[in-house]
Amino acid sequence: MSTTASLNVAAYDALKARIVRGDLRPGAPLSERALCDELAVSRTPLREALKRLANEGLVEISETRRARVARVSVDEVVNLLAVMAVLEGLSGEQACEKASEADLDELARLQDEMESAYARTDHAAYFALNQQIHLSILRMADNGPLAEYFHNLNARLRHVRERLTPTPERWRQAVHEHAEMLALLRRRDGKRLRPLMEAHLRSKTDAYVAAMLNEGLVSMSRAA
């Protein structure tokens, strides 16, 4: 990889990480001069990074080339989650066909650790393990385009997912659903796993929207 390409990737990775973590909030202006200083890059790799992030829906660039973190409306959040639910379901169905026994054993280990985090009400550990389980299933599906679409959409919502605090009832239900997912994977029952994984994510839609509105991360309609 050339030096220029390496700088482009480095700028892209660093800026994307800040957006995904929520360090840069939706609507926040992205000053080229300030970012060049902070990331220690010139304007060319920074602009390439901004263009790439704009293509992924994480950045908006105006006709005057002013950039800001992309804003999203409630309707867009609902639509994003609907698409992600379909991708989750498909990943589960295909993982049933392709996962090795070693893959499933590793998933069982993660499930045990996640249940332990739930038992001690360690939300941060639970979230990290939950994400690891879903990404492991996605990896087992071994579908490049599916993974690409999923990661792009997930990046636009991850900073909110980390802020979600489920009700005790919903948390308990989620843990039960994860145990059922593992059982269906063990049985290679993709036809039942697919709708379960879709419903698992769709059931969180109201909580996502409420959390994003509460954090000021979305508006009721797309801002101009």
Side-chain angles (χ1 to χ4, degrees):
M1 183 181 291
S2 68
T3 301
T4 300
S6 296
L7 288 173
N8 291 351
V9 171
Y12 164 82
D13 288 343
L15 189 52
K16 182 173 183 176
R18 293 186 182 193
I19 295 173
V20 171
R21 285 197 308 264
D23 297 344
L24 296 169
R25 295 171 66 85
L30 298 171
S31 165
E32 287 191 3
R33 178 179 297 177
L35 287 171
C36 285
D37 290 342
E38 292 172 19
L39 302 178
V41 295
S42 65
R43 287 183 183 268
T44 298
L46 178 66
R47 286 175 178 172
E48 289 301 315
L50 289 171
K51 288 178 184 177
R52 186 173 171 187
L53 291 167
N55 289 336
E56 295 177 7
L58 291 173
V59 166
E60 297 170 350
I61 301 176
S62 71
E63 293 181 358
T64 58
R65 298 178 66 179
R66 293 183 180 276
R68 66 185 178 189
V69 180
R71 294 175 292 183
V72 64
S73 70
V74 168
D75 287 344
E76 287 171 316
V77 170
V78 172
N79 289 336
L80 283 171
L81 289 169
V83 174
M84 284 188 68
V86 173
L87 297 178
E88 286 260 23
L90 180 57
S91 72
E93 184 175 39
Q94 294 194 341
C96 282
E97 301 170 2
K98 303 174 184 178
S100 67
E101 288 303 313
D103 285 333
L104 298 180
D105 288 343
E106 174 62 13
L107 206 60
R109 183 188 67 78
L110 293 172
Q111 175 72 17
D112 288 342
E113 290 185 15
M114 190 182 73
E115 290 182 4
S116 294
Y118 166 72
R120 63 179 186 270
T121 63
D122 186 340
H123 185 266
Y126 175 89
F127 173 81
L129 289 161
N130 182 296
Q131 284 287 285
Q132 198 172 347
I133 286 171
H134 282 277
L135 293 178
S136 293
I137 294 174
L138 182 65
R139 175 185 57 76
M140 293 173 202
D142 193 25
N143 183 326
L146 170 61
E148 180 181 356
Y149 297 143
F150 181 87
H151 286 304
N152 285 345
L153 295 180
N154 191 47
R156 299 177 68 179
L157 296 172
R158 182 179 172 85
H159 60 295
V160 180
R161 299 180 85 158
E162 294 183 5
R163 290 175 168 85
L164 285 180
T165 303
T167 63
E169 180 181 356
R170 176 56 205 154
W171 200 358
R172 183 169 56 252
Q173 181 183 351
V175 172
H176 174 75
E177 289 171 356
H178 267 271
E180 190 175 353
M181 287 177 202
L182 178 58
L184 291 172
L185 275 163
R186 288 283 195 196
R187 296 202 297 270
R188 311 288 179 171
D189 191 346
K191 297 303 180 185
R192 290 182 61 190
L193 180 59
R194 182 170 185 167
L196 174 62
M197 291 190 69
E198 288 187 18
H200 180 73
L201 183 54
R202 284 200 180 104
S203 66
K204 301 176 184 178
T205 298
D206 289 346
Y208 268 94
V209 171
M212 293 184 85
L213 284 169
N214 185 57
E215 294 280 343
L217 300 174
V218 293
S219 58
M220 292 306 296
S221 61
R222 183 79 175 185

